[in-house]
Amino acid sequence: MAQQSAEPGDPDVSKNEESSPDEEEAVEDDDDAETVEDEDTEDDEEEEEPKLKYARLTSYLAPVYRNGDATSIFLVAGDKMFIGTHNGNIHTLSLPSFRSVGTYHAHSASITGISISPFPPPLPVAVPEGVSRITSKAQGLNRTPSIASETSKASTYSPRGAQRAQPVPNIPSNAIYIATSSIDGKVCVASLVDPKDVQLRDFARPVQAVALSPDYKNDRSYISGGMAGNLVLTTGGRAGTSTMSTTTGTASAAASGWLGSIGLGAGAGKDTILHSGEGTISTIKWSLTGKYVVWVNEHGVKIMRSNLYLDSADAEFAWKRIGHVDRPQDAGWDEMASVWKGRVEWIDEKSLETDEDDKAREAATSSPATAKLKQQTSKSKNKIEKLLIGWGGTIWIINVHPGGLGIGKNAGERTVGYPEIIKILRMDCIISGLSLYTPTLLLVLAYITPEEDDEEEEKTTPKKGHKSKVSNTSTGSEPRGGIRHRQNALQPELRLIDLGSSQEVDTDTLTVSRFERLSASDYHLGLLPAPRIPKAIQTSRGALETLSGMGSGMWNATVNATSLISSAASVRSTGSSNSDLKTSSMGSTSKNRTPNRANISHEHMESLGMKIFIHSPYDCILATKRNISDHLTWLLERERNQEAWELIDKHPEAVSSTPNKVEESSPVTPDRHQSSQDDFFDDSASTVGSSNKNLNSAVEKEKRRIGELWIQQLIKADDWVAAGRVCGKVLGTAQQWEEWVYTFVGADKFDEITSYIPTTQLKPPLPSQIYEVLLGHYIGCNRPKVKELLEIWPPELFDISSVITVLENQLKYRDVREDSVEDGQVGRDWRIVMESLGRLQIANGRPREALKCYIRLHDADTSMGLIKDHHLVDAVTDDIPGLILLRVSKEQQRSAPLSELRDLTAEAIDLLVKEARQGIVRPDVVVDQLQAKNKTLYIFFYISALWTGAGIEEEQGEIRDRLVADSKALVNEMADLAVHLFALYDRTLLMDFLKSSTHYTFEKATHECEAVDYIPELVYLYSKTGDAKRALYLIIDRLNDVSQAISFAKEQNDSDLWEDLLKYSMDKPQFIRGLLEEVGTSIDPVTLVRRIPEGLEIEGLREGLSRMIKEHEIQYSISSGVAKVLRGEVAMAQNALRSGQRKGVKFDVVHKKNDHLDIETSDAPPLPEPLVTTTEISTPRHRPSPQPGHCVGCAESFSDHEVETLVGFACGHVFHLSHLLSYNDGGEGMRPTTPPDVELDENGEWAAMHSVGAKVTHARLLRDRIRDGCPVCVTVVWV
C-alpha cells in the first residue's frame, strides 16, 4: 500500500501518480510541500502493479479555493464539473480544460447536495473550427448584462453575486439545470444558459439532499429532504422567484398554501410530502431511466416508483414505494445513522471500464444462478436497473426489476417494479463513495478511522496493498495544531474489490491535504464514463469550413490584433493535451511563473477511458486506468528492464503515448513566439508529419536506453553470457557497440560478446579496430574460432591487410607448422591459417597469392575455381604436373585404376586443353614438363583430350567442328608421340588417329603396331602405302578372316587383288565357301566356279552356290524392274509432250470499243531489249513490244475477217502464220514470199490452194519454225 502526504497543490497524490513539470511549478511556493521516501515492506514478495494512476487537479481549481473557501459537494457529468463550496458558491467548470463556465453565490452556508437535469447531459458535438471561431467572436461582441443587474431591474430573485463575463452558449450540452441544497434550508434551481431561469425555495430546515427530475425542463419538479425528515416533491414555480415552502408550517407558508388553493398563488409552486417520520434524509437520487427514486434516511434505504413513463393503467402507482432495505442493526448504528452519509449510485453497465482480467474473474466465479440471471436479463425486454448503496461499512448491490403482471402466487397482480438484493458486502471502513469500475470490480472510496489501540501501530505498519510511501512531516496521528482530544483520521484509500471473491484486488492509499481533520462525509467520489462517441479531433477541413476559418481569422487580425496575438489562437497547435508540457520546455525561466490554465488540460484528462474524481474540501484527485506507458514506467522504476524492453519492442506506442516523453526526445525547436508568419499559416499536416518522425525516433532511443540498462543489470549480476546475448538484441548504433565491446574486452569476456557482434555494416559504421581486436585475440589462442568468424564476417568490416599480417606472422614466428599436432589432428592450425590467408587474399584482390595458398593445401575445388574465374593458368605454368595432380594423392598415383585417374585429372586436363586451343599454354610445354617427371600416363590423358576435343561439349554446329579441328591440329604436331601413346593405352583412338591424321611417320607407326601386334592397324597402314597384297595376306594368314579379306578386296577394287585372293583360296574349302556366299557380283561367278578344283570336298558348297545364284537372280530382277520403270516413265513423258503439242489455242475476235483489247494474253511478258541473240546479226533489230491482240510479226491488230491462219503459243504471243515463218528473216512488216500453191485471188489477197503439196510444205516449214517454241521467247535471252 502506498501513502503520501501533500498540501493543496502538491503534484504527488499517491505512489501511482505521475507528476508533470507544470504541477511542480504550481507548488514551488507552497510552504507545506512534503518530500517522499520509499520503504520496502515485503522484500520477498513480488509487488503487483496497480491498476490506476493518479494526478492532483487541485491547482486547476484555484478559483474554487479562493478566499479560503473549501468544497463541500461536487458532481461530474458529461463535459462539466459542478462544485459546491462551504461558502455557498456553485462553480461550473468545462472539462477537460477546467475553464470556468459559470460561478454564482446561491446559499449562505455549506452546500450539501447537488443535482442536474438532464443526467447525464449530452456530450458536445464537434464544430468546424471556422464556425466555432465565428460563434465565439459573435458572442463576445454581443455581451449580455449580468444576472445581478437584470434581476435588479426585474425585481425578481437571482443568485447573489452571480456574474458571468459572457453568456454560456445555448447548445445541447449546456442546456442544464443545476439544483443545490444547503444547510441554510434553501434549494436553488438555476439554468446554466439562462440567468433569468432561476428559483429559490426556503424549507426553513437544513436540506441535505436534492434531486432534479430527469425531465425538469418540462415538469419543473424536484425532490428534496433533510433534517426535517420529510421527502418533499416540489412542482411548478415561476422563474426568477424566491418562495417559502408550504411544508414549513409558518404563517407565510400557510398563506401561500391558502392563496394557491383559491388560484392566486400558482407562481409559488406546490410542495407534496411523499414520506416522513424516519429521521434525517441524507441522500436522494433519481434512476438513470427516471422511473425510480431512491433515498436514504436514518431507518434505511427506500425505493419508490416515480410518475415518469407510467402507463395509464399504472397511474395509481406514481410515488408508491416498491422496496425497503433496513439499516444494519450493529452496534453504533443508532448514533451514527444520521451522521454517516449514504452513498447511492445508479449504474449504467454500458459505460463501465473494461479490464483484461474481467473474463477470467467471471469464469472463476460463475455459477448456475449467475448464468440464469444473465440469461433472464438478456431475454428481458425491459431493462433491469442496477443500484449500488454504500452506507457506513455496508454495501448493497440491488437489481431493480421492471414491473408487469405477477407470476406464481402473485399471478394476476400488477406491479411497477421490485428490487432484489444480489450481494451484501461488509467493509472494515466507512464508505465515502462507491461505483462499479468494471462489471466484476467494485470501486470503493474508503474512509479509515483507526482504533485507539492500533493508533501507534498505524504509524509504522503499512496497510495491505502496494508499497506505501509515508510522509516525512505527517508521521504522527496529531496534525500540526490539531485537536488532541479526538482521534485523527488516516489517509483515505481507493479500493478495487472483486465481486466474485469479495477480495481486494487493488488498494491505493491517497495523500489528501489535512486528511487528519476530515470526516467520511467530506470525501466524494465521482465517475466520468468513457465517451461512447469518438473524441472530436482535428480533421481535414472542407472548402466552406476553410473559408469560414480564414474569414474569422482575418477578421480577428484586423479588428483586434492585440487579442489575436496574445490569445491561445496565436500559437499553432494540433491539440491542447501537450500544451502545458511544451510551454515548460521553452526555457528555464518558465518554471518561475505559474502556467496559464485557461486553455490547458491535464494530460490524464485526455485519456479516453473512465475518469475517477476524488474530492475533499481542499483537494481534487483524478484516477484513470493505467495505460501501456504507465506499465512501462512501473517496470522501469522496479528495474525490470527486460520486461520493459520487450514491452516497447512489441508495443512501440508505450513510448509515444506519453506526450512529455515525446517532447523530451524531440529535437530542440525555435520558440513559438519567434515563428514566422509563414509558419503561422502553414497547414498542420506538416506538424503531424514531423511529430510522427519524432515519435519513431523516440521509440528507438528509448529502446536503446532501456536495453543498456538491461545489459548493465546483467553485468552487475555477473551474467556475462546473457549480457552478450542481450547486446545482440538491443544495441543498434555503432557508438553503443563500441562502448560495450570494449567493456567485454576489458573484462576478458571475448567469447560472450563475439557471437553477437553485428555481421553487417552499420550506419555510421562500427570501427574496424573492434573486429581486428577480436580476430587478433582468437588468432593467438583459438584458431578454429578464427575460421568460423571469417566465414561469418564480411571482409569490409575490418582492415584485411592488418589481419593478413597477423596470420603471416603466425607462420613465420609461431609454432604453426604443417606437421604440428593440435587436438590430435596433424596440421590443423596450419591448414586454418592457410585457408584464412587464401580467403583474405581473395577479398583483398590478390587471387594469385590466394592460389598459392590453396595449391599448398591441395584444395582442388577452390584452386580450379580461382584459375577459371581469374584466368590464372599462366600463374601455374611452372608446375603443370602439380596442377594436374591436385586431386590425385600419392597413394592413388600408385594403385588407382586408369579410369579413376582419368576422372581425377579430367578438370585440370580440360583446362589445359582449353588454354592450348587459345594459345596460352602450348602443348609442347605441358608435354615437356610431364616427360621431365616421367608422367607418361598423364601425357596420354592430355593428348587424348586434345584429340577428342575435351571441354567443348557446350558448343554446337560449325563452331564445335572448328574447335575440334584446331585441337586435332595441335596433336598432329606430335603425331608420332600420339601413335605411341595411343598404341599403349587406347587402341580405339589409335585406329581413329591413323585414319584421320597424315602427319605421323608410316614406318614408325608400322613399327609401333608390329610391336604390339595390332593386325587391323597394320592392314590399314599397308593398304595406305600401296602394299595391298601384303595386307591381304595378313588378313588371310594372321586373321584367317575370309569376310574381312573379301571386304578388303572390295574396298581396293583391284582385279589383281581378286586374283590373288582366288589363288590363295582354291585349296581352302572354307574360303571357297565364303567367296561363294559373300563375293556377290564383284567377280564373275562362272570364273569362280570353274576355278574350283575338281574333287575338292567343300562343305556347304550347295548352299554357297544357291546363295550366289540367288544373288544374281535378285540382281537381274532388280535391273529388269528398274528398266521397266524407266521405260514407263519415258512413255508417260512422251505422251504428255504429245498431248501438249496437240493442244489447240482458241482465239475470239470481237469488235468492241477502241480502247478495249480484242484478245488478252495471259502472262505475256513485254519484249525488252535483247542482250544476246542466238544468231549473229549485223545490225540490231528494233521491234516494238508485242501488244495483246496484235500480231507479233506485223504488230497489227487482229480482225474478225482474218483469213490467214493464226498461231498462238502458251506464253501468250500470237502470229500470223506467214509472219511466224518469216519472223527472223529480216522481212518483218511485209508479207512473206508466197509459198507454192499460194496465189492471189480475185480481190488481190493471198489465198492457199487446196492441194496436198502446199499443205505438206506449210506443215514442214511450220514444224521447222516452231521446233523450239515461241521465236520471241527462244531468240531473246532475258535478264
Side-chain angles (χ1 to χ4, degrees):
M1 185 177 296
Q3 296 180 352
Q4 295 179 350
S5 179
E7 293 299 320
D10 193 337
D12 295 328
V13 177
S14 72
K15 79 169 200 67
N16 303 321
E17 292 181 87
E18 295 181 357
S19 61
S20 60
D22 59 323
E23 292 172 343
E24 294 176 4
E25 297 162 12
V27 300
E28 274 192 0
D29 297 331
D30 196 333
D31 296 334
D32 296 329
E34 300 171 348
T35 58
V36 179
E37 63 179 11
D38 294 336
E39 179 177 300
D40 297 336
T41 58
E42 296 181 0
D43 295 337
D44 56 342
E45 182 180 352
E46 183 179 358
E47 184 180 2
E48 295 183 0
E49 181 180 4
K51 293 185 176 294
L52 300 175
K53 61 180 178 179
Y54 298 86
R56 187 181 301 280
L57 303 179
T58 308
S59 58
Y60 288 82
L61 306 179
V64 176
Y65 305 110
R66 188 177 293 122
N67 299 325
D69 201 357
T71 60
S72 60
I73 194 70
F74 102 105
L75 176 68
V76 61
D79 64 333
K80 304 288 190 303
M81 178 183 286
F82 308 91
I83 300 176
T85 69
H86 284 288
N87 288 345
N89 297 319
I90 294 94
H91 299 267
T92 303
L93 306 178
S94 175
L95 299 179
S97 64
F98 293 95
R99 181 177 57 86
S100 177
V101 178
T103 300
Y104 57 92
H105 183 74
H107 300 278
S108 60
S110 298
I111 298 175
T112 56
I114 190 167
S115 175
I116 64 171
S117 176
F119 182 86
L123 290 174
V125 180
V127 180
E129 298 173 15
V131 175
S132 63
R133 286 200 292 266
I134 292 175
T135 304
S136 62
K137 193 64 179 178
Q139 292 171 349
L141 293 176
N142 300 314
R143 298 193 174 209
T144 322
S146 67
I147 299 176
S149 62
E150 289 294 324
T151 53
S152 63
K153 295 177 182 179
S155 69
T156 55
Y157 177 80
S158 68
R160 288 165 290 176
Q163 295 181 356
R164 293 181 175 88
Q166 64 181 30
V168 179
N170 190 4
I171 58 177
S173 62
N174 290 338
I176 300 172
Y177 287 91
I178 308 169
T180 54
S181 61
S182 172
I183 61 175
D184 64 1
K186 296 180 177 63
V187 172
C188 178
V189 181
S191 171
L192 182 62
V193 297
D194 186 0
K196 298 179 181 180
D197 189 1
V198 59
Q199 294 185 37
L200 186 67
R201 199 165 189 86
D202 189 355
F203 289 88
R205 294 288 300 275
V207 181
Q208 298 292 335
V210 65
L212 282 179
S213 167
D215 194 25
Y216 178 82
K217 181 178 180 181
N218 298 317
D219 60 19
R220 297 286 173 163
S221 62
Y222 61 87
I223 302 175
S224 60
M227 300 293 290
N230 298 327
L231 184 70
V232 180
L233 170 66
T234 303
T235 306
R238 189 171 63 250
T241 61
S242 177
T243 59
M244 179 67 71
S245 173
T246 59
T247 63
T248 59
T250 62
S252 60
S256 176
W258 177 74
L259 290 174
S261 63
I262 63 176
L264 298 179
K270 178 183 179 181
D271 294 329
T272 304
I273 298 177
L274 301 178
H275 185 270
S276 64
E278 292 188 356
T280 302
I281 297 174
S282 61
T283 304
I284 306 171
K285 196 159 253 188
W286 223 294
S287 70
L288 298 178
T289 61
K291 295 180 179 180
Y292 307 102
V293 176
V294 61
W295 75 96
V296 180
N297 57 30
E298 294 182 22
H299 287 252
V301 181
K302 277 65 173 183
I303 304 173
M304 69 167 53
R305 180 65 167 89
S306 72
N307 64 339
L308 297 180
Y309 314 111
L310 275 174
D311 296 335
S312 58
D314 298 329
E316 60 179 311
F317 294 103
W319 309 116
K320 297 296 183 181
R321 195 173 68 183
I322 64 171
H324 171 76
V325 179
D326 288 332
R327 74 182 187 192
Q329 300 302 318
D330 300 337
W333 269 94
D334 292 336
E335 295 81 10
M336 302 303 296
S338 60
V339 177
W340 289 334
K341 183 179 179 67
R343 310 292 178 159
V344 175
E345 285 293 329
W346 293 94
I347 303 301
D348 181 7
E349 294 183 293
K350 294 182 179 179
S351 63
L352 298 181
E353 186 64 86
T354 57
D355 188 78
E356 58 186 7
D357 299 328
D358 278 344
K359 293 183 179 179
R361 283 192 292 267
E362 287 180 1
T365 59
S366 61
S367 64
T370 58
K372 183 178 180 180
L373 180 60
K374 290 182 180 180
Q375 185 177 8
Q376 291 176 353
T377 304
S378 61
K379 290 183 178 180
S380 176
K381 295 182 180 180
N382 297 322
K383 180 181 177 182
I384 296 177
E385 298 199 54
K386 186 178 290 294
L387 175 64
L388 294 184
I389 301 172
W391 194 14
T394 306
I395 297 175
W396 293 270
I397 303 177
I398 299 173
N399 281 346
V400 180
H401 296 266
L405 294 176
I407 57 175
K409 65 179 182 180
N410 298 323
E413 297 181 4
R414 188 174 183 85
T415 63
V416 290
Y418 63 94
E420 178 187 8
I421 299 176
I422 61 174
K423 195 173 188 68
I424 300 177
L425 296 176
R426 306 289 183 181
M427 303 293 292
D428 59 350
C429 61
I430 305 302
I431 298 166
S432 294
L434 80 168
S435 183
L436 272 186
Y437 181 63
T438 71
T440 61
L441 289 180
L442 179 65
L443 183 69
V444 177
L445 178 60
Y447 176 80
I448 311 298
T449 302
E451 297 292 338
E452 245 182 82
D453 297 339
D454 300 336
E455 184 176 354
E456 293 298 326
E457 184 180 354
E458 290 290 345
K459 301 176 186 177
T460 56
T461 305
K463 293 181 174 59
K464 181 177 66 173
H466 306 296
K467 294 180 181 179
S468 63
K469 296 181 180 179
V470 183
S471 169
N472 292 332
T473 59
S474 298
T475 56
S477 61
E478 297 180 1
R480 290 163 296 177
I483 303 174
R484 297 180 180 272
H485 65 272
R486 79 168 194 176
Q487 291 180 323
N488 291 325
L490 299 179
Q491 294 168 300
E493 295 179 352
L494 191 63
R495 301 177 181 178
L496 287 175
I497 301 173
D498 183 5
L499 291 178
S501 62
S502 300
Q503 298 296 321
E504 293 184 9
V505 175
D506 189 73
T507 301
D508 292 324
T509 301
L510 306 179
T511 300
V512 180
S513 297
R514 312 174 199 177
F515 64 89
E516 300 92 341
R517 304 178 183 179
L518 301 180
S519 64
S521 60
D522 290 326
Y523 294 101
H524 304 278
L525 180 70
L527 271 67
L528 191 64
R532 298 183 186 177
I533 59 175
K535 183 181 177 182
I537 59 174
Q538 191 171 8
T539 58
S540 299
R541 295 180 292 179
L544 180 59
E545 295 173 0
T546 303
L547 290 175
S548 63
M550 182 181 296
S552 62
M554 294 301 293
W555 187 68
N556 285 337
T558 56
V559 175
N560 195 353
T562 304
S563 64
L564 173 65
I565 294 174
S566 61
S567 66
S570 64
V571 179
R572 179 168 56 99
S573 175
T574 57
S576 62
S577 61
N578 303 336
S579 58
D580 55 340
L581 302 179
K582 294 181 180 178
T583 304
S584 65
S585 65
M586 289 181 182
S588 60
T589 58
S590 64
K591 291 186 178 181
N592 298 326
R593 60 178 182 267
T594 303
N596 183 12
R597 301 289 182 180
N599 293 306
I600 300 177
S601 64
H602 195 280
E603 60 183 89
H604 291 190
M605 291 296 298
E606 299 295 331
S607 63
L608 296 179
M610 177 183 289
K611 299 170 184 64
I612 305 169
F613 295 88
I614 301 99
H615 261 268
S616 74
Y618 313 106
D619 270 322
C620 177
I621 299 172
L622 171 65
T624 54
K625 182 180 180 180
R626 296 178 64 87
N627 56 26
I628 193 170
S629 179
D630 301 310
H631 180 50
L632 174 63
T633 304
W634 187 83
L635 291 174
L636 292 176
E637 289 175 351
R638 282 140 190 85
E639 296 185 356
R640 295 164 69 167
N641 299 311
Q642 177 180 357
E643 297 178 48
W645 189 92
E646 291 173 349
L647 177 66
I648 298 179
D649 187 55
K650 186 177 181 181
H651 300 286
E653 65 273 13
V655 174
S656 62
S657 61
T658 305
N660 59 342
K661 293 182 180 179
V662 177
E663 193 63 28
E664 291 170 3
S665 63
S666 304
V668 178
T669 56
D671 189 275
R672 293 180 185 268
H673 298 287
Q674 300 174 0
S675 61
S676 64
Q677 186 176 2
D678 293 337
D679 294 336
F680 175 75
F681 289 103
D682 190 13
D683 191 85
S684 61
S686 61
T687 304
V688 176
S690 62
S691 176
N692 290 338
K693 294 180 182 178
N694 292 337
L695 291 181
N696 294 334
S697 175
V699 171
E700 295 303 321
K701 288 180 180 178
E702 188 68 7
K703 282 183 65 176
R704 291 193 292 267
R705 185 186 71 83
I706 296 175
E708 290 188 297
L709 293 176
W710 186 6
I711 297 171
Q712 292 174 357
Q713 187 179 28
L714 292 173
I715 291 177
K716 186 177 180 181
D718 201 26
D719 191 353
W720 290 89
V721 175
R725 184 172 61 253
V726 172
C727 284
K729 180 186 295 186
V730 305
L731 298 184
T733 64
Q735 181 181 359
Q736 287 182 308
W737 271 110
E738 184 177 4
E739 293 175 358
W740 285 107
V741 168
Y742 281 128
T743 300
F744 277 77
V745 170
D748 196 23
K749 301 295 182 181
F750 289 88
D751 295 339
E752 286 78 2
I753 191 63
T754 303
S755 300
Y756 304 102
I757 195 168
T759 58
T760 57
Q761 195 66 274
L762 300 178
K763 293 183 180 180
L766 187 62
S768 62
Q769 293 82 358
I770 297 293
Y771 298 93
E772 294 165 16
V773 167
L774 298 177
L775 286 173
H777 168 75
Y778 287 113
I779 287 174
C781 63
N782 189 354
R783 297 180 184 94
K785 184 69 173 180
V786 175
K787 178 181 179 181
E788 177 186 343
L789 294 178
L790 291 179
E791 291 175 352
I792 298 174
W793 291 351
E796 59 267 16
L797 295 178
F798 50 86
D799 184 10
I800 299 175
S801 300
S802 301
V803 180
I804 289 177
T805 301
V806 176
L807 289 171
E808 289 176 345
N809 291 337
Q810 293 290 314
L811 298 175
K812 292 178 182 179
Y813 309 115
R814 297 298 182 97
D815 191 19
V816 178
R817 301 187 306 274
E818 194 171 356
D819 56 351
S820 60
V821 179
E822 294 84 16
D823 294 338
Q825 301 179 27
V826 178
R828 185 201 68 180
D829 286 356
W830 178 84
R831 293 186 62 84
I832 290 174
V833 172
M834 292 301 296
E835 288 177 3
S836 302
L837 278 173
R839 182 189 299 273
L840 293 176
Q841 294 287 11
I842 294 174
N844 203 26
R846 302 175 64 184
R848 290 179 179 269
E849 299 298 327
L851 180 61
K852 294 178 182 179
C853 296
Y854 286 115
I855 288 179
R856 289 186 63 186
L857 288 167
H858 288 275
D859 188 346
D861 294 333
T862 307
S863 300
M864 297 306 298
L866 286 172
I867 293 172
K868 292 178 181 179
D869 296 340
H870 300 279
H871 307 287
L872 297 179
V873 176
D874 58 331
V876 294
T877 52
D878 296 338
D879 188 17
I880 290 177
L883 174 64
I884 294 175
L885 297 175
L886 268 177
R887 298 184 186 277
V888 184
S889 64
K890 295 180 180 179
E891 181 65 26
Q892 288 174 324
Q893 292 181 38
R894 290 192 298 267
S895 59
L898 182 67
S899 59
E900 182 179 350
L901 293 175
R902 184 191 293 272
D903 294 338
L904 293 173
T905 59
E907 185 177 7
I909 294 295
D910 291 348
L911 180 62
L912 291 171
V913 168
K914 181 179 179 180
E915 299 297 327
R917 283 197 296 267
Q918 296 175 356
I920 298 176
V921 181
R922 296 290 303 168
D924 54 348
V925 176
V926 178
V927 171
D928 291 344
Q929 291 191 24
L930 290 174
Q931 285 179 339
K933 293 192 176 183
N934 195 24
K935 302 295 183 181
T936 305
L937 176 62
Y938 304 101
I939 299 175
F940 160 70
F941 291 155
Y942 176 68
I943 293 179
S944 62
L946 275 175
W947 181 253
T948 57
I952 58 174
E953 292 78 5
E954 66 277 3
E955 303 293 344
Q956 300 292 334
E958 296 181 358
I959 297 178
R960 176 183 175 84
D961 296 339
R962 179 176 58 80
L963 292 176
V964 171
D966 294 343
S967 184
K968 289 184 176 181
L970 296 174
V971 179
N972 289 332
E973 297 175 1
M974 42 187 151
D976 293 337
L977 177 61
V979 171
H980 172 69
L981 295 174
F982 292 161
L984 287 178
Y985 299 109
D986 197 332
R987 187 174 180 180
T988 303
L989 280 181
L990 174 62
M991 178 60 77
D992 179 62
F993 183 74
L994 293 175
K995 291 182 178 180
S996 302
S997 178
T998 59
H999 293 76
Y1000 56 87
T1001 305
F1002 284 96
E1003 292 77 8
K1004 291 183 179 180
T1006 303
H1007 176 73
E1008 292 289 344
C1009 293
E1010 288 177 348
V1012 292
D1013 198 21
Y1014 286 169
I1015 302 303
E1017 287 77 5
L1018 285 172
V1019 170
Y1020 174 76
L1021 290 173
Y1022 288 149
S1023 64
K1024 293 290 285 183
T1025 57
D1027 196 356
K1029 184 178 293 186
R1030 186 177 180 181
L1032 181 62
Y1033 279 105
L1034 280 175
I1035 295 172
I1036 296 173
D1037 291 340
R1038 299 292 302 277
L1039 299 179
N1040 196 24
D1041 189 345
V1042 62
S1043 299
Q1044 185 175 351
I1046 295 171
S1047 299
F1048 180 74
K1050 288 181 179 180
E1051 290 177 1
Q1052 301 298 321
N1053 195 19
D1054 186 359
S1055 58
D1056 293 337
L1057 197 61
W1058 279 108
E1059 184 65 24
D1060 293 339
L1061 179 58
L1062 290 175
K1063 288 181 180 179
Y1064 184 84
S1065 303
M1066 286 303 100
D1067 59 345
K1068 297 179 178 59
Q1070 181 181 358
F1071 273 75
I1072 294 174
R1073 180 181 176 183
L1075 288 170
L1076 292 174
E1077 291 179 351
E1078 299 183 18
V1079 73
T1081 58
S1082 300
I1083 59 176
D1084 186 1
V1086 177
T1087 303
L1088 176 59
V1089 172
R1090 286 179 178 176
R1091 299 200 47 181
I1092 297 174
E1094 295 183 3
L1096 181 64
E1097 184 176 352
I1098 301 172
E1099 184 179 355
L1101 178 62
R1102 177 182 297 176
E1103 290 80 3
L1105 290 173
S1106 300
R1107 183 171 179 178
M1108 183 179 64
I1109 294 171
K1110 189 174 183 180
E1111 285 185 0
H1112 277 274
E1113 290 178 352
I1114 292 173
Q1115 185 65 32
Y1116 175 76
S1117 175
I1118 291 173
S1119 300
S1120 299
V1122 171
K1124 185 175 180 181
V1125 170
L1126 181 60
R1127 286 195 298 271
E1129 289 181 354
V1130 170
M1132 290 175 63
Q1134 289 176 345
N1135 293 335
L1137 178 61
R1138 294 191 192 97
S1139 176
Q1141 291 175 346
R1142 289 195 298 267
K1143 189 174 182 181
V1145 180
K1146 181 179 181 181
F1147 299 95
D1148 293 330
V1149 180
V1150 180
H1151 281 296
K1152 293 186 178 180
K1153 297 180 180 180
N1154 295 332
D1155 58 351
H1156 185 80
L1157 299 179
D1158 296 330
I1159 299 176
E1160 292 187 6
T1161 60
S1162 60
D1163 301 330
L1167 181 61
E1169 294 294 331
L1171 299 178
V1172 182
T1173 59
T1174 56
T1175 59
E1176 294 182 2
I1177 54 177
S1178 57
T1179 57
R1181 298 183 178 89
H1182 301 283
R1183 293 190 177 94
S1185 299
Q1187 300 296 325
H1190 294 73
C1191 174
V1192 177
C1194 64
E1196 295 180 0
S1197 61
F1198 301 118
S1199 66
D1200 53 354
H1201 300 295
E1202 292 287 348
V1203 295
E1204 189 174 359
T1205 303
L1206 301 179
V1207 180
F1209 295 92
C1211 62
H1213 295 129
V1214 184
F1215 293 85
H1216 288 101
L1217 178 58
S1218 58
H1219 296 156
L1220 176 61
L1221 296 176
S1222 60
Y1223 180 71
N1224 290 325
D1225 293 341
E1228 59 275 14
M1230 299 181 297
R1231 297 290 184 178
T1233 305
T1234 303
D1237 298 330
V1238 178
E1239 298 178 351
L1240 292 172
D1241 59 7
E1242 63 275 10
N1243 296 325
E1245 299 291 338
W1246 294 100
M1249 301 301 292
H1250 296 284
S1251 61
V1252 175
K1255 293 180 180 179
V1256 171
T1257 302
H1258 274 275
R1260 180 180 58 78
L1261 293 175
L1262 182 60
R1263 184 191 63 185
D1264 294 339
R1265 288 289 183 183
I1266 64 176
R1267 182 187 301 275
D1268 296 326
C1270 175
V1272 176
C1273 299
V1274 173
T1275 304
V1276 180
V1277 178
W1278 309 99
V1279 179

